[in-house]
Amino acid sequence: MIQRVHATGKPVGGICDGTLALARSGVLDHLKHTSNDPENLPKTGYQGAALYQNQPTAISDGNIISAPGTVPVSFMVKIMEALGLRDANLDFYLGLHAAEHRAT
């Protein structure tokens, strides 16, 4: 199902262990992606380790959105962007609640 939806150009997202389903489907084999940990995905049989991005924010590549479980706000923003719904209200919300984007 993931491959069929992805083939239509519609966004598909996985956060936390939802990225395991993306990996099993093969869609992460050729796109930049992230997850909870790089060691989380190899047991799925995926071949995309070279494209793994170890970062604390969501990633969107080829309408596939992936994120570690610790970044629900940036994941939501990527989903909203993929749906064409990013606006000033979303930016304001992101500024208020996305601690993952604040400099340390």
Side-chain angles (χ1 to χ4, degrees):
M1 177 182 76
I2 291 171
Q3 288 182 350
R4 284 195 313 264
V5 173
H6 177 58
T8 69
K10 294 178 182 169
V12 178
I15 185 171
C16 197
D17 278 347
T19 59
L20 295 173
L22 297 177
R24 280 187 199 104
S25 77
V27 298
L28 299 183
D29 290 351
H30 308 288
L31 300 170
K32 290 180 184 175
H33 59 279
T34 192
S35 183
N36 291 335
D37 185 87
E39 298 303 316
N40 198 37
L41 300 175
K43 58 189 165 207
T44 66
Y46 101 121
Q47 302 297 307
L51 295 169
Y52 186 87
Q53 309 292 301
N54 195 16
Q55 67 183 55
T57 57
I59 294 175
S60 179
D61 189 12
N63 278 338
I64 297 294
I65 302 159
S66 59
T70 56
V71 295
V73 174
S74 71
F75 181 72
M76 180 266 309
V77 168
K78 293 290 186 187
I79 295 288
M80 299 293 278
E81 285 175 342
L83 297 173
L85 299 173
R86 185 160 190 168
D87 63 10
N89 291 320
L90 183 59
D91 290 336
F92 180 74
Y93 176 82
L94 182 60
L96 286 176
H97 299 289
E100 69 223 38
H101 295 282
R102 294 191 188 116
T104 56

